[in-house]
Amino acid sequence: MAPVAVEVEPPAPLKDLAALKPQASYQIGGAYKEIPYNKFDPEAELGKKGHQAAKYPHYLPTWDPNQKYPPLEPFEHYDHGKDADPTYPNLLPKDKVTVTHLTPTIGTEVRGIQLSQLSNAGKDELARFVAERKVVAFRDQDFKDLPIEKALEFGGYFGRHHIHPTSGSPAGFPEVHIVHRGAGDDTIDKFFANRTSSVAWHSDVSYEAQPPGTTFLYVFDKPAAGGDTLFANAAEAYRRLSPAFRERLHGLKARHSAVEQANYSVLRGGIKRREPVIHEHPIVRTHPVTGEKAIYVNPQFTRDIVGLKKEESDALLKFLYDHLAYGQDFQVRVKWEEGTVVVWDNRVTQHSALVDWQDGQRRHLARITPQAERPYETPFEG
């Protein structure tokens, strides 16, 4: 799908950054994780107050209360991974790249290829390779230096751009979801006064009728240590279950809700670009390219299982959440480096950011989130 058309506004010049006054609280997920990234200090982002300036100020988050959108309409998604050469000659030419698998079942590191230079055939291979390896860290990329329009053009090859209902975005580019903790930010101290961990497993915006597939996250600034991202292989988690348990999951659907996330944003004076939605998805979904089945529930957005009583639903969901969270033998921890682009498939993974540094260093990333097909289930196969 082509990228969503936007009226492009020029980013604020560096000298005007002090006029960027964030309007919202930024958070990942629903009521289970309320880390209040509600604002940043423009002077600190300018390099004042003893902090280094943000390297990519035109990517700093803004929250425009005038951005209002109607409900998302259904669209036909085509996964280009279906067209890929499974030997990956365009994505992983043997004479140029170094490929390192981080674990047997999930996570790969690639050096020696520029994503921005891929042909359409290379992009097809990227979609399939990421579906196979679940999450891939491409190092030494120039992606962050592309004009935002070009980054969106690249991402739009993989599906219709998702516009997040509450998060910050670069001025004029609501399709880009910004992950940002400003220099000198100490709100994590308040969070840990009442919570023991920042871990919050989820699949991005699973409440949408057509949640994301191939997803891109690229880094601008990062702490010297910390701020890694955890990923879990939800397909391997499904395979680890007994045949009898897998069979019982088939046919069940769960409700995924955006209501709590929207309410939390509004409560803190934030924005709500669209009215929140609730959608039902199968607990076991099938990937359209690999045919793999994966567990598709998460504690951030899943609320209950359709047709079960509350106690039954809570017990089953807790088991699945714990199974995914504790399965370190089908997880990987991705460490960020300068120039890294992490690509993962939201249909067969879950992830969590880690907020484990408390020295006030900036963490600043951008996510491009193409939507995919509506989750569907194929018959149980034993």
Side-chain angles (χ1 to χ4, degrees):
M1 295 292 295
V4 173
V6 295
E7 187 174 323
V8 176
E9 299 175 12
L14 187 61
K15 63 184 177 61
D16 293 333
L17 273 181
L20 293 177
K21 296 182 179 179
Q23 309 270 338
S25 68
Y26 172 72
Q27 50 123 16
I28 299 175
Y32 289 89
K33 184 180 182 184
E34 300 176 358
I35 298 179
Y37 297 159
N38 57 316
K39 55 186 169 182
F40 61 83
D41 184 338
E43 290 193 354
E45 300 306 281
L46 281 166
K48 302 177 182 178
K49 298 186 176 181
H51 300 287
Q52 291 187 344
K55 296 176 184 175
Y56 290 80
H58 60 297
Y59 265 106
L60 285 172
T62 64
W63 293 266
D64 183 353
N66 296 315
Q67 288 177 344
K68 298 291 184 181
Y69 298 96
L72 294 175
E73 294 290 335
F75 73 101
E76 184 175 351
H77 175 260
Y78 182 79
D79 196 305
H80 291 285
K82 297 176 181 178
D83 301 328
D85 183 335
T87 66
Y88 307 115
N90 300 284
L91 178 68
L92 306 175
K94 291 182 173 57
D95 60 333
K96 292 183 179 179
V97 303
T98 301
V99 177
T100 305
H101 294 318
L102 303 178
T103 81
T105 64
I106 179 173
T108 298
E109 183 180 80
V110 176
R111 299 181 186 270
I113 193 77
Q114 284 293 339
L115 293 177
S116 64
Q117 303 302 312
L118 288 178
S119 63
N120 285 350
K123 294 174 189 174
D124 296 346
E125 293 167 17
L126 174 63
R128 176 163 183 149
F129 186 62
V130 171
E132 295 279 0
R133 292 300 303 162
K134 309 305 180 281
V135 55
V136 183
F138 291 88
R139 306 298 190 183
D140 306 316
Q141 298 295 302
D142 61 7
F143 206 83
K144 65 185 183 304
D145 297 311
L146 298 176
I148 297 178
E149 299 94 332
K150 289 296 183 182
L152 287 171
E153 180 182 342
F154 181 93
Y157 184 81
F158 300 89
R160 182 177 72 184
H161 287 299
H162 181 260
I163 296 177
H164 197 280
T166 65
S167 72
S169 61
F173 296 96
E175 303 91 344
V176 180
H177 168 101
I178 295 299
V179 178
H180 177 259
R181 183 179 172 194
D185 184 284
D186 62 359
T187 53
I188 193 62
D189 298 333
K190 298 176 182 177
F191 175 83
F192 281 130
N194 295 302
R195 301 292 290 272
T196 60
S197 174
S198 64
V199 174
W201 290 102
H202 64 287
S203 178
D204 290 322
V205 297
S206 64
Y207 48 72
E208 301 290 12
Q210 294 181 248
T214 310
T215 306
F216 303 83
L217 187 63
Y218 46 110
V219 64
F220 308 115
D221 289 288
K222 64 179 187 63
D228 303 340
T229 306
L230 302 176
F231 290 86
N233 183 342
E236 182 64 21
Y238 171 82
R239 288 190 290 268
R240 295 287 180 90
L241 300 173
S242 67
F245 199 93
R246 294 200 304 264
E247 185 174 17
R248 183 62 191 91
L249 294 179
H250 279 263
L252 294 177
K253 291 187 176 182
R255 272 185 281 260
H256 298 244
S257 172
V259 173
E260 295 79 5
Q261 185 181 71
N263 287 348
Y264 181 67
S265 178
V266 172
L267 179 67
R268 298 185 63 83
I271 62 172
K272 183 174 67 174
R273 295 186 179 97
R274 288 189 307 276
E275 289 302 312
V277 295
I278 298 174
H279 284 109
E280 296 177 5
H281 297 312
I283 287 180
V284 177
R285 70 177 298 181
T286 300
H287 195 283
V289 176
T290 66
E292 284 186 303
K293 296 175 172 61
I295 298 171
Y296 197 67
V297 294
N298 69 87
Q300 288 290 289
F301 302 124
T302 306
R303 296 296 169 251
D304 57 16
I305 298 174
V306 178
L308 297 190
K309 294 183 178 181
K310 174 175 172 49
E311 292 86 353
E312 298 166 340
S313 173
D314 289 350
L316 183 50
L317 288 174
K318 183 180 186 304
F319 171 81
L320 294 173
Y321 298 157
D322 288 349
H323 176 52
L324 285 156
Y326 297 151
Q328 294 189 23
D329 50 354
F330 49 80
Q331 295 176 9
V332 69
R333 181 172 182 142
V334 174
K335 292 186 175 296
W336 292 94
E337 298 178 4
E338 181 78 18
T340 294
V341 178
V342 171
V343 191
W344 72 96
D345 196 317
N346 256 304
R347 295 166 290 193
V348 289
T349 61
Q350 293 193 20
H351 61 279
S352 176
L354 295 179
V355 187
D356 56 353
W357 75 104
Q358 295 176 280
D359 54 7
Q361 293 186 69
R362 181 186 299 108
R363 185 177 187 264
H364 185 197
L365 308 93
R367 190 181 82 201
I368 293 176
T369 319
Q371 292 177 256
E373 74 285 346
R374 185 160 191 149
Y376 66 93
E377 179 183 350
T378 53
F380 173 68
E381 297 174 347

